[in-house]
Amino acid sequence: QVQLVESGGGLVQAGGSLRLSCAASGRTFSSYAMGWFRQAPGKEREFVAVIRWGGRSTYYADSVKGRFTISRDNAKNTVYLQMNSLKPEDTAVYYCAASDYSGPAYYTREYDYWGQGTQVTVSS
């Protein structure tokens, strides 16, 4: 069992930065791939980024590649999403999730545990 709690969301102007954190409880955090998803009003939840359990493999959605960076600290049971050069279209509720799927884990169905989400709003 893994419990996830996101933090770090807020209101920022376009071009600004935010760093999201996701604190996990559970003794097997390091064995899970950790992903970030987002959901804007009226839209489906979409993949943002994922980091494999060892932290060496990361994958990003094309829309955030080069602007967002996912990282993890297994000693602190925490995964991060550094978001730079934010755009109004990045506005959404951001969720972290844990997956024991063996592949890159791009889809919500591949994740076993979810946090409650944190709101990110980017003003123009």
Side-chain angles (χ1 to χ4, degrees), residues 44-87:
E44 293 187 354
R45 194 169 297 188
E46 66 174 4
F47 169 78
V48 174
V50 62
I51 186 167
R52 301 299 301 171
W53 66 271
R56 294 180 181 179
S57 297
T58 57
Y59 304 89
Y60 296 92
D62 288 343
S63 59
V64 307
K65 203 171 293 184
R67 300 188 298 122
F68 291 10
T69 303
I70 189 171
S71 61
R72 68 189 296 164
D73 185 337
N74 287 340
K76 296 182 178 179
N77 281 7
T78 302
V79 62
Y80 305 97
L81 185 69
Q82 178 66 45
M83 304 186 295
N84 298 330
S85 302
L86 283 161
K87 305 175 182 179

